[in-house]
Amino acid sequence: CASAGAASDPESGPASETPPAVSPSVVVFGASGKTGKRCVTQASTAGARVIACTRTGDFKATGLENAHLVEARAGDVSKASDEALRSIVRGCDAVIFAASASPSGGTPQEVDKAGLVKVAAACVSENVKRLVIVSSGSVSKPLSPVYVFLNFFGGVMRAKVEGEDAVRAMYVARDGCDY
């Protein structure tokens, strides 16, 4: 996501005082899922440069209005190293965490909890301005039928709550945090 700024060239004089406009950049983890695909589509349509992260690095941007703004990259939050995640988010304006456990890869504890915490830590380390977590409306309603039903299958709701609580604690602990 890092972009080059205007540089001064000794032969041609100083760089322009007004740097060229740079499109915002967004990383979407879980880009191959239904919600992740929508996030990629909306961000690229709005003119943002998007890194579409999937477990395997496969993402088909074909048919998107601004497909040229989308870069597919491997970003399995349950397996990627801390440095790999920092490298993915480095220089970006925002990260959308739309990844979730599925039968094809990662348990709720690996993805919805530990994966989220690792991505949030990478965002804090790289000073990413905004982290958006796609969650569930039932995550704050542990007695609701949806929570009970989804939690029955591998504890996905419990893992989401634990991951989100850890991220809140991480962000509140930051100096100058305004939320």
Side-chain angles (χ1 to χ4, degrees):
C1 281
S3 59
S8 179
D9 180 358
E11 292 182 20
S12 64
S16 166
E17 289 183 30
T18 306
V22 176
S23 299
S25 53
V26 178
V27 174
V28 178
F29 287 98
S32 63
K34 184 177 180 180
T35 303
K37 284 179 188 173
R38 288 182 177 175
C39 292
V40 170
T41 300
Q42 290 298 313
S44 62
T45 299
R49 293 173 292 120
V50 180
I51 295 178
C53 288
T54 67
R55 288 183 186 99
T56 62
D58 293 332
F59 183 84
K60 305 291 185 250
T62 310
L64 292 181
E65 182 178 329
N66 289 327
H68 66 282
L69 295 174
V70 179
E71 172 191 343
R73 198 180 295 180
D76 186 334
V77 300
S78 68
K79 296 179 181 158
S81 70
D82 295 342
E83 176 51 38
L85 292 173
R86 285 192 303 271
S87 175
I88 291 169
V89 304
R90 189 169 292 134
C92 289
D93 297 304
V95 170
I96 300 173
F97 188 92
S100 192
S102 74
S104 62
T107 67
Q109 289 294 317
E110 293 169 334
V111 178
D112 297 282
K113 181 181 178 183
L116 172 58
V117 170
K118 285 176 20 176
V119 167
C123 289
V124 169
S125 174
E126 296 299 324
N127 296 312
V128 174
K129 296 175 193 171
R130 186 163 314 267
L131 170 62
V132 177
I133 302 168
V134 177
S135 186
S136 168
S138 296
V139 80
S140 63
K141 301 172 186 164
L143 299 178
S144 73
V146 172
Y147 183 105
V148 172
F149 177 74
L150 290 174
N151 206 48
F152 182 74
F153 298 101
V156 68
M157 298 305 281
R158 184 182 67 251
K160 284 184 180 296
V161 168
E162 291 171 355
E164 291 170 26
D165 285 347
V167 170
R168 275 189 283 277
M170 183 185 310
Y171 274 72
V172 167
R174 292 174 42 204
D175 287 337
C177 183
D178 62 352
Y179 50 147

